[in-house]
DNA sequence: GAAAGGCTTAAGCTAATTCTTAAGAAAACC
DNA sequence: GGTTTTCTTAAGAATTAGCTTAAGCCTTTC
């Protein structure tokens, strides 16, 4: 779960990030509206904590800018305690409104509440895909297309492919693969990864003999071949 | 949009219903926990406003009873203003917590905010029917037709079918199914889903022996067979 | 409080995948 | 060229996932 914390005050931002990390979510601080917009464009977020009083932008501007970029839930955390601002923010697209000074436990509980709801509901929408060369993975349907042909992979092979595709430039060591696919520690004398990798490569190259998709980085591990 | 208002005080219940109707949603008053549960079983709701202090039930009992019946969002409206109760309620499943005496405009704005979010994310937004091959589901009447025959499904079977049909291409893992149908965390050694799936398949294929509707994706879960 | 229907659990069974092993081939390094 | 690492292959064993059935429990209904 990735949470973006938009707050210009350094101390408060830091405090909020700590609350989030204590609950084992990842927190990314942003200190201005423009910085926040950049982060929103760059990747998907599960929740935004937003201070309304940012330099150079009004609260409504920020809220509508966020709404234009994504439909991520937004919790406003603001020093403005008046009903007028609160109601306007909620009407402008905020999902919650907490006034400063805030109770840490309450912020934590509200974050959890929104994430819980969001998680429960994100069953249907947003199509998620991974693409690389002519490999196309539909993460929801868990199908793999190569060279316009459907590829039947076992769940292990699928897990390996997904992992490699998640960071195509990264070299994954065998122990790295083992931890992420098998969720077990790796014992150096194990040929299992080799065999699975071989099987995966065979299936990929059957679908498109002209391409080589996975390369071996000698002494290091494996990586998608770019 | 149907909103259930659970509040034993007649005047406040009436006031809340009026707020809701002013925004052109329909409001249904309930004056006790047991009455609320009955309404929850009888039909689908888009939102619940809930007073925590009801005769005969504690707040947490009500919240978990609601969670067991459906995953409708719940806004708690309570006279208890202490942080402890607030945080406990949010952790117990509430989506929002408003303290009495409340600001009418704020309640209104928060209702809108939750409905907006729910609508944007809900599984089958504003659709009254689901169709797939010759399966026809009437979501209002909760009836299922296959091959022009009415199919009598139990509530669990129905819930499973609805979930699968909501994203026919998506593979639903067992834990995924469990969370969405049973509203409980999944323990790996549980055979329940298997059995229900088997029963559902049997009923479907009795109605139309020629078709296979649900396919098993080995090691991943289940999906509608396209 | 008896009956019916629905739900869960347990057990046996089948099918599919995964692991292991090992030996020869191929590739990379020095 | 020799050494090391990695790849491939294949077959059998082991493991795991899934299916089905039936019995017992629980809840609802009358």
């Amino acid at each position: 779960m990735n949470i973006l914390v938009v707050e210009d005050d350094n101390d408060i931002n830091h405090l909020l990030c700590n609350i989030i990390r204590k609950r084992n979510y990842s927190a990314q601080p942003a200190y201005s509206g423009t910085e926040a917009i950049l982060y929103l464009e760059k990747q998907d977020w599960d929740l935004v904590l937003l201070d309304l009083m940012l330099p150079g932008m009004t609260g409504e501007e920020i809220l509508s800018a966020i709404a234009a970029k994504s439909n991520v839930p937004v919790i406003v955390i603001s020093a403005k305690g008046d009903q007028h601002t609160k109601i306007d923010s909620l009407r402008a697209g905020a999902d919650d409104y907490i006034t400063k000074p805030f109770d840490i436990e309450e912020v934590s509980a509200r974050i959890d509440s929104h994430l819980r709801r969001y998680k429960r509901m994100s069953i249907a929408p947003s199509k998620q895909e991974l693409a690389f060369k002519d490999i196309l993975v539909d993460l929801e349907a868990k199908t793999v297309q190569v060279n316009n042909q459907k590829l039947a992979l076992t769940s292990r092979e699928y897990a390996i492919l997904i992992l490699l595709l998640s960071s195509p430039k990264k070299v994954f060591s065998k122990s790295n693969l083992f931890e992420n696919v098998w969720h077990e520690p790796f014992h150096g004398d194990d040929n299992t990864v080799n065999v699975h990798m071989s099987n995966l490569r065979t299936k990929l190259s059957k679908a498109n003999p002209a391409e080589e998709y996975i390369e071996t980085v000698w002494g290091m591990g494996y990586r998608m071949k770019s």
Side-chain angles (χ1 to χ4, degrees), chain A residues 29-197:
Chain A
Y31 300 94
S32 70
T34 45
E35 196 185 350
I37 303 292
L38 281 176
Y39 278 119
L40 284 165
E41 280 172 348
K42 210 163 69 178
Q43 68 169 97
D44 289 334
W45 300 90
D46 299 298
L47 187 63
V48 174
L49 300 194
L50 175 67
D51 178 21
L52 278 190
M53 309 238 274
L54 292 173
M57 290 179 96
T58 71
E60 293 203 359
E61 278 171 359
I62 300 172
L63 279 171
S64 67
I66 293 176
K69 297 289 173 198
S70 82
N71 70 348
V72 61
V74 177
I75 301 180
V76 169
I77 299 183
S78 165
K80 285 191 176 176
D82 63 300
Q83 287 303 103
H84 185 263
T85 310
K86 189 190 277 191
I87 290 159
D88 283 355
S89 303
L90 289 168
R91 293 235 176 272
D95 291 85
D96 207 341
Y97 192 104
I98 303 172
T99 49
K100 294 180 191 170
F102 49 76
D103 177 303
I104 289 178
E105 281 303 313
E106 183 182 344
V107 170
S108 171
R110 284 191 184 266
I111 288 171
D112 282 343
S113 171
H114 282 281
L115 287 179
R116 184 178 61 220
R117 173 64 51 195
Y118 187 66
K119 197 178 168 189
R120 219 185 302 178
M121 302 226 147
S122 60
I123 305 163
S126 75
K127 227 189 188 179
Q128 290 208 311
E129 290 184 342
L130 279 176
F132 181 86
K133 289 183 179 172
D134 61 355
I135 301 178
L136 200 75
V137 181
D138 183 329
L139 293 172
E140 287 210 327
K142 308 216 182 200
T143 54
V144 181
Q145 271 207 346
V146 177
N147 197 18
N148 293 320
Q149 300 164 52
K150 265 201 179 168
L151 209 55
L153 299 183
T154 69
S155 57
R156 284 275 202 262
E157 289 158 4
Y158 179 80
I160 292 171
L161 183 61
I162 293 295
L163 184 63
L164 292 176
L165 287 177
S166 68
S167 313
K169 288 180 186 170
K170 180 175 170 184
V171 176
F172 289 88
S173 69
K174 284 187 186 176
S175 67
N176 211 325
L177 275 162
F178 226 78
E179 274 171 27
N180 283 293
V181 175
W182 279 262
H183 306 291
E184 275 173 30
F186 176 69
H187 308 291
D189 59 342
D190 198 319
N191 185 33
T192 308
V193 177
N194 283 332
V195 174
H196 279 278
M197 201 58 81

Side-chain angles (χ1 to χ4, degrees), chain A residues 18-30:
Chain A
N18 275 343
I19 295 173
I20 291 166
R21 290 182 186 131
K22 249 191 197 147
R23 306 221 42 94
N24 276 323
Y25 309 129
S26 88
Q28 173 64 54

